[in-house]
Amino acid sequence: MRVLLLNGPNLNLLGTRRPDVYGSTTLVELESMFAAWADELGIDEVGAFQSNHEGALIDRLHAARGHVDGVVFNPGAFTHSSYALHDAIEAVEIPTVEVHISNVEEREEWRRRSVVRPACVYTIYGRGTDGYRWGLRHLVARSRRPVETIRYGPANSQRGDLRLPVSPGPHPLVVLIHGGFWRHMWTADTTELIADDLTARGLATFNIEYRRVGDGGGGTRTVDDVIAAIEAVLRHPDVDAGRWAVLGHSAGGQLALLGAKHFAGRGQSPRLVVPMGAVTDLRMAISNSIGAGAAAEFVGDEPVAALSPVESVPIGASILVAHGVDDDRVPVTQGEAFVNSARSAGDTVDTFLEDGIGHFDFLEPNRHAWTTVAAAIGEALIS
Ligand code: DQA
């Protein structure tokens, strides 16, 4: 796979331009980090180009045609105005991920509009310079196997990607729920590589998007989205609705547990629920201000108890609580609190709580944290 990193106007000033918004990483540093990330992801070839000129960016895209399999592109302010760049991306037919370092949805109104977006395969914003790495991962994931996108509601975020093994179905299923503190800039791209890995292990996977805070969701609306997504996929003819599991990373773990409880209550229990690095005690999350106030924003004016897994036990399904002791985003005390409350309510709970594991290790297919979880899911579903 060959990937091109493109940066538009003013991004040559990275490091000194508004470091409060764009951080302190320079363009030279970013380009070398990008090459290292690509190497880690098994990408064979990377190129990088920056220009302040619209025509030069268009020429570079034209030259990439037939030589590059994916583009990670931050068009800078051209994002908001350049129909010519939109047309160039569309014309060269190279899958292009639009990346913005800053949270363009929460700055000036005019930054919310992207004219290049319809020509791009994905958009990532508000994740700092790490966004370029997530962009690369998305290109890798989408090159692996085709997905069937299932819409379970009218909103753009009410959808999920179904990946199926090549053998004939129906297949056991894993529903994946991404994290990101229920905030709109974190999307289902984060769990794509592990979804692909599970499908390579012979399982159907449904990697869902859902409405988040700032995207029409929050509280019960988000939980209801998860339930509707699972209902939709369990009706799919290639899915064995009697053999399914659900996993959630970070805030997605909270959603996985509440979703599992709903189905267990209807006699359609998943065989396994896996909260990984999950936010499971919302009261504790609010008082510790985990994720800079994210839990409070998610709960809004709803009662906390109904949204907090520790207060929603028993879940009524087997649970594997996976949490890194060195998680610096969601402390392991969250996982431990849930283990105690679920066990005292009578749930069957296994644990994978290990030193040396951080928050994002569960999303990397080759790391021990993930392979341990994947093996447990395989055991629960393929037997
Ligand atoms: C940007 C956001 C644009 O609005 C701005 O004009 C840029 C950088 C970003 O990376 O956040 O130059 O694309």
Side-chain angles (χ1 to χ4, degrees):
M1 190 173 184
R2 302 155 301 174
V3 174
L4 172 65
L5 167 64
L6 270 188
N7 278 297
N10 300 309
L11 291 163
N12 54 316
L13 300 181
L14 274 182
T16 54
R17 170 194 182 202
R18 299 283 314 265
D20 55 318
V21 176
Y22 300 112
S24 55
T25 305
T26 65
L27 180 65
V28 173
E29 286 164 348
L30 171 66
E31 288 177 350
S32 91
M33 276 153 58
F34 191 84
W37 293 327
D39 196 43
E40 250 174 51
L41 285 162
I43 291 166
D44 313 299
E45 233 179 274
V46 278
F49 181 74
Q50 185 277 333
S51 177
N52 295 324
H53 305 277
E54 189 179 23
L57 292 163
I58 293 170
D59 288 343
R60 189 65 191 85
L61 277 166
H62 290 183
R65 196 179 199 174
H67 301 284
V68 161
D69 308 299
V71 176
V72 175
F73 190 8
N74 183 347
F78 287 148
T79 305
H80 316 298
S81 63
S82 176
Y83 295 108
L85 276 174
H86 166 281
D87 283 357
I89 297 165
E90 185 186 63
V92 298
E93 295 180 319
I94 306 170
T96 298
V97 180
E98 173 192 4
V99 171
H100 302 288
I101 298 166
S102 68
N103 185 350
V104 283
E105 290 293 323
E106 289 173 17
R107 298 180 63 195
E108 297 92 331
E109 184 61 33
W110 54 268
R111 290 190 204 270
R112 300 182 66 170
R113 186 174 100 112
S114 165
V115 301
V116 301
R117 191 157 310 172
C120 294
V121 294
Y122 212 83
T123 299
I124 287 167
Y125 60 88
R127 306 188 201 170
T129 42
D130 270 359
Y132 292 90
R133 180 170 166 272
W134 293 109
L136 262 179
R137 284 170 112 254
H138 178 70
L139 288 175
V140 170
R142 82 187 295 289
S143 74
R144 293 264 166 88
R145 72 182 77 241
V147 300
E148 180 187 338
T149 298
I150 299 173
R151 298 198 166 272
Y152 62 85
N156 185 41
S157 297
Q158 292 174 309
R159 62 173 204 273
D161 286 339
L162 180 67
R163 290 174 167 82
L164 292 169
V166 280
S167 58
H171 305 278
L173 168 81
V174 185
V175 176
L176 295 97
I177 309 174
H178 73 82
F181 291 126
W182 310 277
R183 291 208 163 107
H184 56 88
M185 61 276 211
W186 288 97
T187 58
D189 61 287
T190 57
T191 37
E192 281 175 329
L193 285 180
I194 57 172
D196 176 75
D197 182 65
L198 288 171
T199 300
R201 292 167 187 255
L203 300 164
T205 55
F206 192 44
N207 185 36
I208 68 165
E209 197 45 272
Y210 50 85
R211 288 175 301 162
R212 303 167 306 286
V213 174
D215 173 45
T220 309
R221 285 189 303 278
T222 300
V223 177
D224 286 347
D225 275 4
V226 167
I227 292 168
I230 298 173
E231 259 164 11
V233 74
L234 290 180
R235 286 195 297 267
H236 194 283
D238 290 321
V239 162
D240 177 352
R243 265 199 299 170
W244 68 287
V246 54
L247 75 79
H249 180 240
S250 195
Q254 176 258 350
L255 297 168
L257 287 161
L258 296 192
K261 183 182 167 78
H262 170 88
F263 286 93
R266 295 192 337 186
Q268 272 186 291
S269 204
R271 287 207 185 170
L272 188 65
V273 192
V274 190
M276 310 186 299
V279 187
T280 49
D281 184 338
L282 263 57
R283 249 177 248 279
M284 191 204 294
I286 291 169
S287 64
N288 297 351
S289 202
I290 288 175
E297 281 171 47
F298 171 71
V299 170
D301 52 17
E302 293 189 50
V304 183
L307 293 167
S308 186
V310 291
E311 294 175 62
S312 306
V313 289
I315 299 298
S318 287
I319 303 161
L320 168 63
V321 174
H323 212 123
V325 170
D326 297 318
D327 192 324
D328 60 357
R329 303 288 171 113
V330 179
V332 69
T333 46
Q334 285 274 330
E336 289 163 348
F338 183 76
V339 172
N340 294 335
S341 72
R343 278 187 181 151
S344 34
D347 278 327
T348 307
V349 184
D350 276 339
T351 60
F352 174 70
L353 306 170
E354 242 183 55
D355 285 334
I357 290 178
H359 191 62
F360 292 105
D361 287 320
F362 292 104
L363 304 181
E364 300 301 331
N366 297 327
R367 300 222 176 123
H368 164 64
W370 171 250
T371 54
T372 306
V373 167
I377 293 173
E379 216 167 281
L381 292 182
I382 312 175
S383 56

